[in-house]
Amino acid sequence: MNGSAWAILVVAKAPVAGEAKTRLGPWFTPTEAAGLAAAALLDTLAAVRHTGVDTRVLALSGDLARAERGTEIRSMLADFTVLRQKGRGFAERLIAAHADAAAIAAAPVLQIGMDTPQVTPGLLTRAAAQLTEPGIDAVLGAAVDGGWWALGLSDPGTATVLKRVAMSRGDTGANTLTALRGTGRRVFELPTLSDVDTPDDVWAVAMDMPPGTYFRNAAERHRTAVDRTWTA
């Protein structure tokens, strides 16, 4: 599929120690947790770059100058358009980011976060392909914890349904699907993925990733942070 037919939007938080992945404490120090967040972001950006999509947008909160692995992240962003997140709550920031990305691309937008570093270029491309199919208005990828990891919209205005959905809850994914369908949107459901929120998530996701990936490498460096057996 021609990369110009769609755009990818990554919504992310700068991996600053004490501000990123705080739920990984006390098993990980603030710096270690931020390092894992940085690795997850690097894998996510790498997957986006390898899709071949022409329009790559990062909607960022926080300060990359203070982030772990900030130099590597900035290098990875060389061919991204980087925007500041705007809005008071998470839903508002998502709505604004969808609108901004669509204005840049003039094309359907597939939005992902930074908590699913196991995403692959193939998975992202297939998701976008569904989004551009006739009869499909949106794609939604559920997360194991009840949230969602991907939201693709053919019309960015559809993102306003997120105002009706409480974010970061165990029913956020189901309620987002209901809200989309409640407006008559035809939604294709993507595969369910695990995102990284807890120490158990770190190991589960890392072990499903190929050796040599940023997140796998970072998790292996800190595998003694919890009393468990690592199986390669």
Side-chain angles (χ1 to χ4, degrees), residues 177-188:
L177 181 61
T178 298
L180 289 167
R181 287 179 169 163
T183 61
R185 267 58 176 190
R186 295 155 296 183
V187 184
F188 181 86

Side-chain angles (χ1 to χ4, degrees), residues 8 10 39-52 56 76-77 79-80 112 117 119-121 124 213-214:
I8 292 185
V10 180
L41 179 55
L42 285 165
D43 276 319
T44 301
L45 297 175
V48 172
R49 294 183 74 184
H50 284 93
T51 62
R56 309 159 186 170
M76 188 78 76
L77 289 170
D79 48 10
F80 281 70
I112 60 175
V119 294
T120 64
L124 295 177
T213 51
Y214 294 101

Side-chain angles (χ1 to χ4, degrees), residues 181-202:
R181 287 179 169 163
T183 61
R185 267 58 176 190
R186 295 155 296 183
V187 184
F188 181 86
E189 295 183 62
L190 301 172
T192 299
L193 296 183
S194 296
D195 53 13
V196 178
D197 287 320
T198 69
D200 283 340
D201 297 331
V202 171

Side-chain angles (χ1 to χ4, degrees), residues 63 82 96 129 136 156 198 222:
D63 184 4
V82 180
I136 298 296
T198 69
H222 301 305

Side-chain angles (χ1 to χ4, degrees), residues 72-91:
E72 291 174 82
I73 293 169
R74 285 191 292 272
S75 177
M76 188 78 76
L77 289 170
D79 48 10
F80 281 70
T81 298
V82 180
L83 307 173
R84 302 301 304 178
Q85 291 181 23
K86 55 190 180 186
R88 289 172 294 180
F90 190 43

